[in-house]
Amino acid sequence: MNATLIAVALSLVSAAAYAWAAVAQARLAGRTAPGTGTLRLLGSGAWWSAVGLNAGGALLHVAALKYGPLTLVQPLGALTLVAAVPLGARAAGRKVSTTEWRGTLLTLLGLGALLMTAGGSAPHETLSLAEALAVGAATMALVAGLSRPGARPGLRHAAASGITSGVASALTQTLTVAATDHTTGPLFSWRLVVVALLVSAFAMGGLLLSQTAYRGGLGAPLAVVTLANPVAAAVIGLALLGERLQGGTISLVPALLGTAAAAQGVILLSRAQAQAAPAAAAAVAAEPAPSVPSRVVIRSPRAVLQQHGHGHLRRIRAGRS
């Protein structure tokens, strides 16, 4: 089978796993208080279910990077948002809206245009130790800036999560190629140890940042994560890994058109999901409250005597007789 088809197939299954994980994280974030710490999350079974789904998606993603370049595999990660639309609607007990279907179609068309310009050959280049350290330092500085207190913390945390995940994918490709292609150097070296540590740190950091971002809802944060992830990976692939777009400069035209269509689709999906959240909350608020029977208070004769006097107590006894 063609290496490109294998990479696409693995990426599709990976996107489905990531979509399930995002829905699970968003539901967990909705039930978690804003001040909840990381240790509290570690004791939650729902958190570990999301971690397992993310781990499965990551393994499939690593396998896809073995057969396809970053410029091909990373754009397919946008299908996570497309898959999360029906999954999120089903979890919320509602139907997918027309706007969401339009956004899905635009996203798919944009991805198709991007795939036509992506490189189709299996990757062979890897990052050197100096390049990996430089990428790691730049990423940590960027994430620190996005994590500062300020307006729209959910979207900024989502952007930081997408960047760290995209960088982790680029570093993972170095590990994958080095482990399977012995011409890139020894299998065990300081370079690969450092890259493996960076991959672990950025993967866990991206997971925690996305969990924080989903406290404001699923749609807009997931859209930002979906866009920031392939952009970060593509920058590394084109700048440091020798990847090129097919067709040269002319291919930039369909690539830009595809990017615009995918961005518009993501915007529609984000708006539709943002509108669905208050509607669901209003539906819950409109439900009639369960009737509570009135409380019957049985008072002792002494309490009646203290409040109303002996005359009232005699009248009560006379009524009983």
Side-chain angles (χ1 to χ4, degrees), residues 5-21:
L5 294 179
I6 296 176
V8 171
L10 292 172
S11 297
L12 293 178
V13 183
S14 174
Y18 279 132
W20 273 112

Side-chain angles (χ1 to χ4, degrees), residues 13 22 28 33 37 111 113 115 138 153 163 193 195 220 230 236 241 246 253-254 259 261 268 294 313-315 317 321:
V13 183
L28 176 61
L111 284 172
L115 289 175
I163 291 170
V193 170
V195 170
I236 296 174
L241 295 176
Q246 291 186 4
V253 176
T259 301
L268 288 176
S294 301
L313 181 59
R314 285 196 295 270
R315 286 194 297 271
R317 289 176 177 174
S321 59

Side-chain angles (χ1 to χ4, degrees), residues 37-49:
T38 304
L39 293 179
R40 185 75 176 272
L41 287 175
L42 295 179
S44 171
W47 163 255
W48 287 109
S49 298

Side-chain angles (χ1 to χ4, degrees), residues 214-243:
Y214 292 150
R215 287 175 181 168
L218 177 63
L222 183 56
V224 174
V225 171
T226 303
L227 287 176
N229 189 312
V231 168
V235 168
I236 296 174
L238 294 172
L240 300 176
L241 295 176
E243 297 183 3

Side-chain angles (χ1 to χ4, degrees), residues 148-204:
R148 280 179 161 183
R152 297 184 179 275
L155 295 183
R156 288 189 289 105
H157 287 159
S161 174
I163 291 170
T164 53
S165 299
V167 172
S169 296
L171 297 172
T172 298
Q173 179 164 300
T174 291
L175 288 177
T176 306
V177 174
T180 55
D181 187 0
H182 300 293
T183 61
T184 59
L187 181 59
F188 297 100
S189 63
W190 281 111
R191 178 183 67 131
L192 296 185
V193 170
V194 171
V195 170
L197 291 175
L198 289 174
V199 168
S200 301
F202 287 144
M204 182 55 67

